[in-house]
Amino acid sequence: MSEYSNVLIALKNILDRNSCRLTPIFRSNGTANAAGDSLEFFVKDMFCTGASAYQHEVDKERYYDKYLSWKGNSSNFPDFIIKEGVGVEPKKMNGKGTGNLALNSSFPKAYIYPDTQNLPIKEQIIESEWKKKEIVYVIGNLNKKDDKLIRLWLAYGNTFIANESIYLDLKESIKEAVVDLPDAIFVDTKEFGRIKKVDPLGNSNLRLRGMWELSHPEVVFQEYLQMNKIPENATKINLIITKNEYENLSNKPDLSGYFNENRLQVRTILIPNPNNLEEDISAYLFEAFTD
């Protein structure tokens, strides 16, 4: 079954809109959304063709219901899931910096599975049975003075994130080291763990929580970028996807007009395999800009 939307459709919608200025979204009670939510709405809109024409959340919801099997909340990963398609996780950074992305207790993910940590319960993902989904991280660098994105990255997790076993094995190794501490009473938790009664009277506990970080794609893929001369105050758009994932996309929109206008370019590149440094994998790097 084909996906309802994908990163190429999102890219086309971004270029069609020709603006990466984040606008207020009005909720059903008439209040505007919090500033931090603007990027999430923007990214959802780009994957859900037609939603960006509306500023009221209730109107957008009709399009989200059409394209998304999971519309997200503040507690679960990822932020939303495309029907029969990828999971998408937006991350906002203020200014043009390229520091690490804070993932908090959720380790980096190239894929999600039905039993992945922090995923919503099975019944909340409204689509047929699935075994694995790719994750796309969407990172927006925001100029807070005018609420306009300086740059936007759409990066498939499997282009720079290892298999989950790497992170789970590390977590288990740390747990084993803690369990072996003299007099430690280790209690497993969803976050990481807890060491109880660390003092002689047993009045103190230590809560352990992973605080994961992920390198910004701008840093990871900087050496491959070539579209360095764009109009002043334009927003730079980058998309990286493995050749295999690209070929598996069932719906590839016509982007020829943007190639002809020199607003979009694409190259095939070789990038290190995140799971084997002795191997390279083939990927497509799209570079574009909007006004």
Side-chain angles (χ1 to χ4, degrees):
M1 186 177 295
S2 62
E3 72 279 354
Y4 282 61
S5 184
N6 59 50
V7 291
L8 295 182
I9 292 173
L11 176 62
K12 184 178 187 301
N13 286 336
I14 292 169
L15 295 174
D16 287 348
R17 189 174 188 264
N18 196 28
S19 173
C20 286
R21 192 179 302 277
L22 307 185
T23 56
I25 308 300
F26 297 97
R27 302 191 185 280
S28 56
N29 61 6
T31 61
N33 65 293
D37 295 336
S38 295
L39 178 66
E40 295 175 8
F41 277 106
F42 175 84
V43 176
K44 273 186 183 178
D45 287 357
M46 296 306 101
F47 278 90
C48 301
T49 304
S52 64
Y54 301 92
Q55 280 193 282
H56 288 82
E57 186 176 16
V58 65
D59 295 318
K60 292 180 178 294
E61 287 290 336
R62 299 200 308 270
Y63 293 87
Y64 297 162
D65 288 338
K66 178 180 178 181
Y67 290 100
L68 307 181
S69 61
W70 162 251
K71 295 186 290 185
N73 61 24
S74 60
S75 303
N76 296 105
F77 180 94
D79 194 69
F80 61 92
I81 297 174
I82 305 298
K83 288 182 179 180
E84 311 296 340
V86 300
V88 182
E89 179 70 5
K91 289 291 179 182
K92 179 176 71 71
M93 299 189 72
N94 292 323
K96 58 184 179 181
T98 56
N100 290 341
L101 308 172
L103 305 184
N104 298 323
S105 60
S106 180
F107 60 82
K109 296 176 178 67
Y111 304 94
I112 53 173
Y113 306 86
D115 61 350
T116 292
Q117 178 190 10
N118 294 339
L119 204 67
I121 61 175
K122 180 180 178 181
E123 290 73 20
Q124 291 179 323
I125 302 176
I126 312 301
E127 66 175 84
S128 58
E129 293 291 325
W130 58 279
K131 295 182 179 180
K132 181 172 76 170
K133 287 179 175 290
E134 299 81 13
I135 288 294
V136 175
Y137 285 89
V138 182
I139 299 92
N141 284 81
L142 180 66
N143 183 341
K144 295 187 68 176
K145 293 181 180 179
D146 59 7
D147 288 329
K148 184 177 180 181
L149 293 175
I150 300 166
R151 75 169 69 89
L152 184 72
W153 268 95
L154 297 91
Y156 267 72
N158 58 15
T159 62
F160 68 125
I161 296 171
N163 290 334
E164 69 172 23
S165 60
I166 296 294
Y167 310 101
L168 293 175
D169 288 349
L170 173 62
K171 187 175 179 179
E172 287 304 312
S173 296
I174 295 173
K175 283 186 178 182
E176 290 173 6
V178 172
V179 168
D180 290 339
L181 291 174
D183 302 321
I185 302 176
F186 181 80
V187 179
D188 201 4
T189 68
K190 286 185 177 180
E191 290 182 343
F192 205 117
R194 190 186 303 268
I195 304 175
K196 300 184 69 175
K197 300 181 179 181
V198 299
D199 61 305
L201 292 178
N203 294 327
S204 304
N205 301 328
L206 175 62
R207 176 184 172 190
L208 303 177
R209 185 184 184 194
M211 297 297 286
W212 297 89
E213 293 183 341
L214 180 64
S215 294
H216 197 302
E218 184 78 8
V219 174
V220 177
F221 302 112
Q222 179 64 49
E223 65 181 283
Y224 305 102
L225 298 174
Q226 291 189 350
M227 185 184 281
N228 300 315
K229 294 182 179 180
I230 63 175
E232 187 176 1
N233 297 322
T235 300
K236 178 68 186 302
I237 314 294
N238 300 303
L239 161 63
I240 188 162
I241 177 174
T242 67
K243 184 177 180 181
N244 183 60
E245 303 296 353
Y246 176 84
E247 291 175 348
N248 286 338
L249 296 179
S250 60
N251 188 353
K252 299 182 178 68
D254 182 10
L255 298 169
S256 59
Y258 296 112
F259 286 116
N260 294 336
E261 294 171 4
N262 294 319
R263 288 181 54 198
L264 174 66
Q265 66 182 39
V266 62
R267 290 185 301 117
T268 303
I269 60 174
L270 291 176
I271 58 175
N273 184 335
N275 298 293
N276 186 346
L277 295 180
E278 296 182 357
E279 294 181 1
D280 289 332
I281 56 178
S282 183
Y284 288 109
L285 176 62
F286 291 80
E287 297 182 71
F289 65 88
T290 62
D291 289 345

